[in-house]
Amino acid sequence: MNTHEYIENNKQKFLDELLDLLRIPSVSADSKFKGDVRKTAEFVKNSLEKAGVDKAEICETAGHPIVYGEKIVDKDLPTVLVYGHYDVQPADPYELWDSPPFEPVIKNEKIYARGACDDKGQMYMHVKAFETMMATGSLTCNVKFMIEGEEEVGSDNLGIFVKENRQKLAADIILISDTSMIANDTPSLTVGLRGLSYLQVEVTGPNRDLHSGVYGGAVANPINVLCEMITSLKDENDHITIPGFYDKVAELSAEERKALNDAPFDLDGYKRDLDINDIKGEKGYTTIERTGIRPTLDVNGIWGGYIGEGAKTVLPSKAYAKISMRLVPDQSSKEITELFSKHFSAIAPKSVKVKVTPHHGGEPAVTPTDSPAYAAASAAFEEAFGKTPIPTRDGGSIPIVSLFKKELGLDTVLMGFGLDSDAIHSPNEHYGLFNYFKGIETITLFYKHFAKAK
Ligand code: BES
Ligand code: MN
Ligand code: MN
């Protein structure tokens, strides 16, 4: 039996197993789900064993465990290190889901569940591709799996694990499916990811909540001040005003920008999908550029004062916001966090005090397009989809990609099969059945071409 036939014959089994995986609520951010996160790690370990690894293990960390597994066919063959994550984002707000987030359903040829695409569905394709190659005797590379449970909370312990296990993780290439492609009929390969600086700010006005009539107009309202401060962080061209913010931003050449913008992009479809009448972003750049090669700053949450039922006349003592900045080469997460903190304190009026607390960050990454691994991935897509994949820069972040380069000296192939419309991190996250099965097939083809290219 060849790989194609094996996948065709096992579609129902492959799907049922993924649905079982999706039923376990592995929310890494919420300690309430700690036991479920571990159960998910065990599920992944068992599935690797059943698929045919030599050994699989649960590696303890200070946080959620990492699952490691390997199949060494022959020391002289190239080794592929597969990275993925089995943890998921919180499913809140639950009431906006059409069906419960941890009770997967299939509708319109799509699997609906938290993690269906990010990243359980995409990660599990690798386990099933491996099973397929084992069962059909067609595995042409050594394989190592490193599947973590803390990607959605910043991968703090993965960095430590990588540093402590350089030998164990030795490989020729890292392979990840945790990004998106342009469309099912327009395959693409991700060659860049943005970095991230994430912080929380706290603005304090008076030492206690005040009557907004007795004091209003005479004492700084920290919510008003916070809004003014946030507004001032961008100018009328949506250019970020933090001094030094753009100093390290790598400018692309005119040819590189043209190549990037040659990728198909349907602005009307984009607006229709999001129900917006217009887009908004940095002047002088296209939407592809705004999310791919330009840094940005966004408020992720803002709160303070009275938000209960009815009206309470109050001039609050405190206001808060969570602010993220997406970074591009060669910005550094640490430097940008420092620049932000300094600037935010500098622009605060004397009437308030501000506190800035950094959260996790991550570095941007670009991956080579002139390597044997890229060529193998490109050939795999071409064989599976009948089209050469277009290199694209994604706006999201996978901080460990730059860490792999730094600590292991390894490049990554970002072979994602999700779509931007899959609603990852959102209610009604889904993943196409086409993408799941096509992904499994494309992955097996990557191994075939990579073994030949090396
Ligand atoms: N898989 C995503 C990143 C992603 C999504 C890359 C779509 C490209 C296209 C990943 O799970 C994620 O959500 N990363 C976080 C960063 C992390 C430090 C919390 C992100 O991008 O917000
Ligand atoms: Mn992910
Ligand atoms: Mn994610």
Side-chain angles (χ1 to χ4, degrees), residues 210-222:
L210 303 175
H211 188 290
S212 67
V214 176
Y215 289 96
V219 174
N221 179 326

Side-chain angles (χ1 to χ4, degrees), residues 85 118 151-152 178-180 193 196 326 360 394 396-399 424-425:
H85 63 97
D118 183 14
E151 196 276 343
E152 299 291 9
D178 194 22
T179 50
S180 39
L193 290 165
L196 184 67
R326 295 283 168 174
H360 56 251
D394 278 10
S397 308
I398 310 179
I424 63 172
H425 294 207

Side-chain angles (χ1 to χ4, degrees), residues 57-78:
E57 58 199 16
I58 303 254
C59 306
E60 298 302 333
T61 74
H64 300 303
I66 294 163
V67 183
Y68 177 82
E70 64 177 38
K71 173 75 200 174
I72 307 299
V73 184
D74 179 340
K75 284 201 174 57
D76 293 331
L77 286 175

Side-chain angles (χ1 to χ4, degrees), residues 230-241 245-246 279-285 290 294-298:
I230 288 170
T231 305
S232 80
L233 295 175
K234 284 191 193 176
D235 68 12
E236 67 279 12
N237 294 325
D238 271 302
H239 213 67
I240 293 154
T241 56
F245 185 84
Y246 291 97
I279 49 166
K280 175 173 163 60
E282 188 183 0
K283 198 174 169 194
Y285 295 92
R290 286 169 178 173
R294 297 299 293 170
T296 191
L297 182 152
D298 276 292

Side-chain angles (χ1 to χ4, degrees), residues 201 203 217 219-236 239 241-242 297 299 302 319-321 323 340 343-352 354:
V201 299
V203 177
V219 174
N221 179 326
I223 302 181
N224 293 18
V225 172
L226 175 58
C227 291
E228 286 162 14
M229 290 172 73
I230 288 170
T231 305
S232 80
L233 295 175
K234 284 191 193 176
D235 68 12
E236 67 279 12
H239 213 67
T241 56
I242 300 169
L297 182 152
V299 179
I302 183 163
Y320 306 83
I323 297 176
F340 178 96
H343 179 66
F344 206 71
S345 301
I347 60 171
K350 246 170 54 198
S351 52
V352 299
V354 307

